[in-house]
Amino acid sequence: MNLRSALLGAVLLAATAAPAFAQDDALISKNQTIYDAEGKRVGKVTRVLEDGSALVIYKGKVVRIGASTLTEAEGKVTTSLSKKELARLD
């Protein structure tokens, strides 16, 4: 019974550690401001997903900005998407 408990504990520990580690490596963090390709403010990050993409409220709706479009320079996070492209996101 002790081996079973130890194994179960190890599995649970590994399962809970993975998402926290993934967010530590994220380019962005909650409440950080994202700017568009022209340098204009898009909005603040409301949530960072496990894949590094960001949820932002943009023009009254929640949009997902993919991690592959994000870059960081001098503490400023920018998406390669234009305002027109952002308006088409879900």
Side-chain angles (χ1 to χ4, degrees):
M1 192 85 165
N2 281 341
L3 181 58
R4 177 188 269 170
S5 296
L7 183 58
L8 179 60
V11 169
L12 290 174
L13 180 61
T16 58
F21 180 74
Q23 284 195 346
D24 287 344
D25 288 343
L27 175 69
I28 53 174
S29 59
K30 186 175 179 180
N31 293 323
Q32 191 168 16
T33 302
I34 294 183
Y35 298 87
D36 70 4
E38 297 174 358
K40 295 182 181 168
R41 185 181 184 280
V42 172
K44 287 191 177 188
V45 176
T46 58
R47 184 172 176 205
V48 179
L49 303 178
E50 285 186 30
D51 66 355
S53 57
L55 295 182
V56 177
I57 297 175
Y58 180 69
K59 293 195 175 187
K61 68 177 188 173
V62 177
V63 296
R64 181 184 164 274
I65 301 175
S68 64
T69 73
L70 299 173
T71 56
E72 188 268 333
E74 299 176 14
K76 185 176 177 180
V77 177
T78 304
T79 178
S80 59
L81 301 174
S82 67
K83 293 263 185 182
K84 192 174 193 178
E85 292 169 317
L86 287 165
R88 289 184 276 189
L89 294 178
D90 290 328

